[in-house]
Amino acid sequence: MRVPISWLREFVAIPEDVTFEQVHAALVKVGFEEEDVHSFDVTGPVVVGKVLEFTPEPQSNGKTINWVQVDVGEDAPRGIVCGAHNFAVGDKVVVSLPGAVLPGPFPIAARKTYGHVSDGMMASARELGLGDEHDGILLLKNLGLDPEVGADAIPLLGIDDFAVEINVTPDRGYAFSIRGVAREYAHSTGAAFRDPADAVTPSDAHGFSVTVADEAPIRGNIGVSVFMARAVRGIDPTRPTPAWMVSRLTLAGIRSISLVVDISNYVMLELGQPNHTYDLDKLRGGFTIRRAKAGEKFETLDGQVRTLSPEDLLIDDESGPVGLAGVMGGASTEISDSTTNVLVEAANWDPVTIARTARRHKLWSEAARRYERGVDPKVPAVGVARVVQLLEELGGGTGDDLGIVLDNSVPPSAIELPDGYVTSLIGAEFSADEVTDSLQEIGTTVVASDSGWTVTPPTWRPDLTDRATLAEEVARIVGYDRIPSVLPVAPPGRGLTREQRLRRLASSSLAAGGLTEVLAYPFLAQASNDQFGSPETGGVAAMKIANPLDPDAAWLRTSLLPGLIAIARRNLSRGLTDLSLYEVGTVFRPVAGHTYGSGPLPAGDQRPSAEVLEGLRASIPPQPWHVGALFLGDAVTKQPGQPSVSHGLSDALGAAQHLATVLASPITITTGSHQAMHPGRTAELRSGDRVIGYAGELLPSLAADLDLPRVVAVLELDLDALIALSITEVTPSPILGLPAATQDLSLVVSSTVSAGDVLALLVEGAGELLEKVTLVDDYRGAGVPDGSKSLTFALRFRAADRTLTQAEATEAKNAAVAVAAARVGAILRE
């Protein structure tokens, strides 16, 4: 929110010599954040000049310049070269004399150009920072001004003003107005506050029909609770917006358009009440307020034809929609250069409806920003009256009785505030007088009760909903410096849980292995969940967010892989072609047949009971911790004497085995299948009969669709399951000093038999002498029957109490072959 100081000074006592640092400091004291300072950055001499005569001079480049004699209140006129042609003899203009500096910065000096010495510059509105108009110089008559020649133009145009910008939090929508900020400045400094809403008296209006036909309210709230309108006739469309209003709107970040539109915007900024002006002659009959039909079309003021949702609220006249309620008006009733009669409307719309409409259409108008935060329901009548007043004073119009007064607003509910509650919640001592004085200062009505006070919030503070919010206001008004800075003492005997320690161990071990940790958003498109969700979810639908930030990413993730792939694509687009990424995070796995929903939330100022906590946990789906990894590009880059080594399935399997080792969690690796992975390059990671993860390479076709390299290896493990398998006490294996005996063997088995199954059978058959067995080759070709493969294993035998003979090693090997032959039909290949 940008706040011009001259405007703020109208409603609160501010010293004339105040600096922006002092204003910012005062507003920070009551909870705002300082953002920026805005000014016109114009220094003089900038004066009023009068055109005495000019001579057009065509140039060789086809351009015609004017050699102008301008009276600037000095003994002799000044000669100025000007390329504009929108002025005449006798016009009063703004002249920047040598030594002046205009926004840019653009210093002005006497200089020779087009054969003349130009002794200054006749300025346009854009050159002075007053707008975007640059087709000609600024004529003071167009601002309704006829000042004395030679007068200082800087205060005349209001460009000696400055504005402070503050960040307004979503719960304090009342501060999106000069009225609200002035009140807060008064709270901070103790300066006298003059409410602009008290300076205008609303008039009764009747004769204009408005029907509320909201048949599908959101959360049971009718789309509009207050609707005020009044007609103004006989406006002079040639009247200019006065200079003081243009400068204030400019500092506030609003472009000056026309008098009627500027007055509408001015009142919105002043009171925080958005309003809309319709060309009364273009309206047909009264208004009907209704929800849009699915797919209905409507053209807004910005010229965009929008496809509407049944949640959007429309204002209709007899010809059809004329406004997207609370967000933007329609093109059909837009104010034009010939408009003389207007209907001024101000309302109080449902904040949820407006927020969803603005987000859905990406239409963040100034009106929508205020309505979604909550607007004072008692201000629409004042807002209409203020617009009418300015149209009469500045536009020559006359307000009449045509209009409507519709007010179904509900007064704020009273809140019980126990004595001593503020002190117990905030952690600092507050006297009874400090509590009552602070609450009365922000506009509440405070009545003493047996247990404390009954507090009724003002209509402009919809954020005051319970006693905790009242306590926060007391702390804010008295001063946050009252709250002591005390570090809590950690209770002894606590620390990270076993699960937390092992999750951190898993993460740090992957990072130590050269992988880079990333953090992806948990919100996905439905197609991503369908594509990458693990088969063991059983086809259970993902959870959809009721009010997503992005409608295209409205589902909670069931897998970490889509996020890792999105991050990989982003890094590839920036030229990073060798990636080893991992993420440790939660996924969302709803249980089939279970209905999830938040229900009523517990009070924020007390610890929930065990029953309430259990109900909250039951209202959300299970969120197990997973670990995912992605590998692409080169694991080892090409170097002199060293060819490059590409990432592949072995890296994903290696990461899984590394995690299993670090966490002391035994897993087995078998051939598997996953809808997003290469059918011959996919492994299931198992704990007993349970699948706890997958490792593999993405389908080449899928990788191509995602603009990824052909080989992308991925891994995803259920980290919670892996931690549950972790062995609490690990018995170390002794280091044996006796020599080992090695044996190799090749077994021919069916192609459908996995190497992991054969390896497990060899371990089972060889007995306790077998120290290690490794698969060293998988051969399919000449000498091996069709439909079969030859698996070669290296076996290492060792005894703890003696040196093994080759005969003993051979006997153990033959026993292993016998088990494999009996179970899977393995044949020893000679």
Side-chain angles (χ1 to χ4, degrees):
M1 173 69 187
R2 296 184 179 186
V3 185
I5 297 303
S6 66
W7 203 350
L8 187 66
R9 190 176 279 120
E10 290 188 6
F11 309 130
V12 66
I14 298 178
E16 288 296 328
D17 59 349
V18 73
T19 64
F20 70 83
E21 291 94 347
Q22 292 170 330
V23 178
H24 263 152
L27 295 176
V28 167
K29 183 180 176 182
V30 286
F32 295 107
E33 295 179 7
E34 61 178 276
E35 291 285 336
D36 205 349
V37 178
H38 303 272
S39 64
F40 290 99
D41 296 325
V42 176
T43 58
V46 180
V47 300
V48 175
K50 182 178 181 179
V51 177
L52 300 178
E53 63 177 0
F54 63 93
T55 303
E57 296 182 357
Q59 304 297 309
S60 59
N61 59 6
K63 180 179 179 180
T64 298
I65 60 99
N66 293 304
W67 173 240
V68 190
Q69 298 298 310
V70 185
D71 180 5
V72 293
E74 299 173 338
D75 294 338
R78 295 203 180 215
I80 296 176
V81 173
C82 182
H85 304 281
N86 65 321
F87 58 89
V89 171
D91 283 341
K92 290 184 178 179
V93 297
V94 178
V95 180
S96 302
L97 298 177
V101 179
L102 301 185
F106 180 33
I108 304 300
R111 63 190 183 95
K112 187 172 183 179
T113 180
Y114 294 106
H116 300 280
V117 175
S118 185
D119 202 13
M121 186 180 77
M122 297 161 60
S124 68
R126 189 171 73 180
E127 288 163 339
L128 293 168
L130 286 171
D132 297 328
E133 181 63 40
H134 194 57
D135 293 336
I137 62 170
L138 178 64
L139 303 180
L140 294 177
K141 66 181 181 182
N142 291 342
L143 297 177
L145 298 175
D146 187 20
E148 181 181 350
V149 172
D152 189 348
I154 292 179
L156 178 72
L157 297 174
I159 55 179
D160 55 345
D161 200 2
F162 69 90
V164 295
E165 184 175 357
I166 57 174
N167 179 34
V168 178
T169 53
D171 60 327
R172 300 173 71 182
Y174 67 93
F176 263 117
S177 65
I178 305 299
R179 178 197 187 205
V181 176
R183 181 182 279 111
E184 290 298 321
Y185 185 88
H187 294 337
S188 176
T189 63
F193 170 66
R194 300 175 292 276
D195 193 342
D198 295 337
V200 184
T201 302
S203 300
D204 192 19
H206 52 80
F208 191 83
S209 171
V210 174
T211 302
V212 179
D214 186 0
E215 299 177 355
I218 297 178
R219 298 183 180 179
N221 296 326
I222 299 298
V224 61
S225 59
V226 178
F227 194 95
M228 305 288 179
R230 190 177 172 201
V232 180
R233 303 181 189 273
I235 298 170
D236 183 354
T238 65
R239 292 276 186 100
T241 302
W244 58 267
M245 183 176 287
V246 172
S247 66
R248 287 181 175 180
L249 289 174
T250 301
L251 280 176
I254 303 292
R255 180 172 59 92
S256 176
I257 298 174
S258 67
L259 178 62
V260 175
V261 176
D262 290 349
I263 287 174
S264 174
N265 287 330
Y266 187 86
V267 172
M268 175 186 66
L269 293 173
E270 183 174 82
L271 299 175
Q273 172 61 58
N275 60 85
H276 188 66
T277 50
Y278 302 86
D279 189 322
L280 184 60
D281 296 328
K282 297 177 182 178
L283 291 175
R284 298 293 178 265
F287 285 162
T288 298
I289 299 171
R290 64 174 178 88
R291 299 284 172 176
K293 300 173 184 177
E296 186 173 358
K297 306 291 185 181
F298 177 61
E299 183 180 357
T300 46
L301 282 173
D302 56 3
Q304 299 294 315
V305 176
R306 304 183 183 276
T307 302
L308 304 181
S309 160
E311 287 191 349
D312 294 330
L313 203 61
L314 286 175
I315 303 173
D316 283 5
D317 69 358
E318 293 178 359
S319 66
V322 296
L324 189 57
V327 179
M328 187 171 283
S332 61
T333 55
E334 182 179 7
I335 300 297
S336 68
D337 294 339
S338 60
T339 298
T340 58
N341 304 315
V342 302
L343 181 73
V344 182
E345 165 256 303
N348 192 273
W349 305 103
D350 173 45
V352 175
T353 295
I354 303 307
R356 291 185 180 181
T357 294
R359 184 174 294 115
R360 184 179 302 112
H361 298 290
K362 296 179 173 59
L363 194 55
W364 297 108
S365 64
E366 291 291 331
R369 292 175 66 197
R370 287 161 174 79
Y371 279 128
E372 71 169 353
R373 288 164 169 81
V375 172
D376 185 353
K378 297 305 178 185
V379 172
V382 177
V384 169
R386 178 63 167 149
V387 173
V388 172
Q389 179 190 59
L390 291 175
L391 287 174
E392 289 176 335
E393 292 178 1
L394 304 178
T398 303
D400 65 19
D401 294 336
L402 177 64
I404 187 171
V405 176
L406 174 65
D407 189 349
N408 295 321
S409 61
V410 178
S413 300
I415 302 169
E416 294 298 325
L417 181 64
D419 188 12
Y421 174 78
V422 175
T423 294
S424 65
L425 182 66
I426 303 301
E429 288 291 333
F430 295 95
S431 67
D433 288 342
E434 286 178 323
V435 171
T436 55
D437 290 348
S438 298
L439 293 176
Q440 289 171 345
E441 184 176 342
I442 65 173
T444 67
T445 301
V446 182
V447 178
S449 66
D450 293 339
S451 59
W453 302 275
T454 299
V455 183
T456 304
T459 54
W460 63 84
R461 293 299 302 271
D463 58 308
L464 301 181
T465 56
D466 54 36
R467 56 187 182 176
T469 56
L470 296 178
E472 291 169 2
E473 286 299 291
V474 173
R476 187 174 69 89
I477 297 301
V478 173
Y480 291 127
D481 53 355
R482 175 74 67 86
I483 304 173
S485 298
V486 179
L487 289 175
V489 178
R494 296 188 182 181
L496 297 177
T497 64
R498 174 177 178 271
E499 289 74 15
Q500 290 172 329
R501 285 189 291 102
L502 292 178
R503 281 199 295 268
R504 293 192 180 188
L505 177 61
S507 179
S508 60
S509 67
L510 289 175
L515 281 74
T516 301
E517 185 175 14
V518 296
L519 183 64
Y521 289 113
F523 313 117
L524 301 175
Q526 186 176 15
S528 295
N529 268 331
D530 294 342
Q531 194 168 43
F532 291 98
S534 298
E536 73 271 11
T537 58
V540 177
M543 290 287 294
K544 185 177 182 181
I545 303 169
N547 191 23
L549 294 173
D550 181 356
D552 295 330
W555 278 263
L556 293 172
R557 66 185 180 187
T558 60
S559 168
L560 299 182
L561 296 183
L564 286 168
I565 289 172
I567 292 171
R569 295 181 64 193
R570 187 177 303 113
N571 280 274
L572 277 172
S573 69
R574 287 158 173 76
L576 301 175
T577 57
D578 303 323
L579 299 174
S580 301
L581 310 175
Y582 81 95
E583 179 180 7
V584 176
T586 55
V587 296
F588 303 83
R589 296 289 180 86
V591 177
H594 189 92
T595 301
Y596 298 100
S598 61
L601 295 176
D605 57 350
Q606 54 187 318
R607 181 179 176 83
S609 65
E611 292 77 13
V612 171
L613 289 174
E614 186 60 34
L616 289 173
R617 293 189 186 99
S619 69
I620 58 177
Q623 300 175 43
W625 284 85
H626 278 208
V627 56
L630 178 145
F631 305 86
L632 61 80
D634 290 339
V636 178
T637 58
K638 184 178 180 180
Q639 305 170 44
Q642 169 66 55
S644 61
V645 179
S646 299
H647 280 303
L649 175 60
S650 60
D651 295 287
L653 291 174
Q657 292 169 325
H658 175 70
L659 287 171
T661 301
V662 167
L663 299 177
S665 303
I667 63 171
T668 56
I669 301 173
T670 61
T671 302
S673 63
H674 189 289
Q675 67 268 28
M677 298 183 190
H678 193 297
R681 307 284 292 171
T682 303
E684 284 183 349
L685 309 174
R686 290 178 171 270
S687 169
D689 294 333
R690 180 187 173 189
V691 177
I692 62 170
Y694 291 86
E697 296 177 2
L698 290 184
L699 288 166
S701 59
L702 177 59
D705 291 341
L706 295 172
D707 298 320
L708 295 172
R710 179 178 177 82
V711 178
V712 179
V714 292
L715 160 71
E716 183 165 13
L717 269 171
D718 185 335
L719 188 55
D720 282 348
L722 201 61
I723 289 173
L725 297 171
S726 179
I727 301 171
T728 305
E729 295 184 4
V730 178
T731 302
S733 300
I735 299 176
L736 302 178
L738 296 172
T742 59
Q743 298 271 343
D744 291 339
L745 64 84
S746 295
L747 296 176
V748 177
V749 296
S750 171
S751 297
T752 60
V753 178
S754 70
D757 290 341
V758 177
L759 187 147
L761 293 173
L762 293 177
V763 172
E764 178 185 342
E768 62 181 10
L769 293 179
L770 181 64
E771 184 178 71
K772 184 177 181 181
V773 57
T774 306
L775 175 69
V776 296
D777 189 30
D778 181 339
Y779 173 72
R780 310 175 196 214
V784 176
D786 293 341
S788 299
K789 58 185 177 182
S790 173
L791 302 176
T792 301
F793 297 90
L795 294 81
R796 186 171 70 208
F797 300 93
R798 195 191 309 264
D801 58 349
R802 66 189 187 279
T803 299
L804 286 180
T805 64
Q806 283 298 326
E808 288 177 304
T810 301
E811 182 181 354
K813 179 188 75 172
N814 291 338
V817 172
V819 172
R823 300 279 186 85
V824 296
I827 300 173
L828 184 63
R829 185 180 177 202
E830 300 297 338

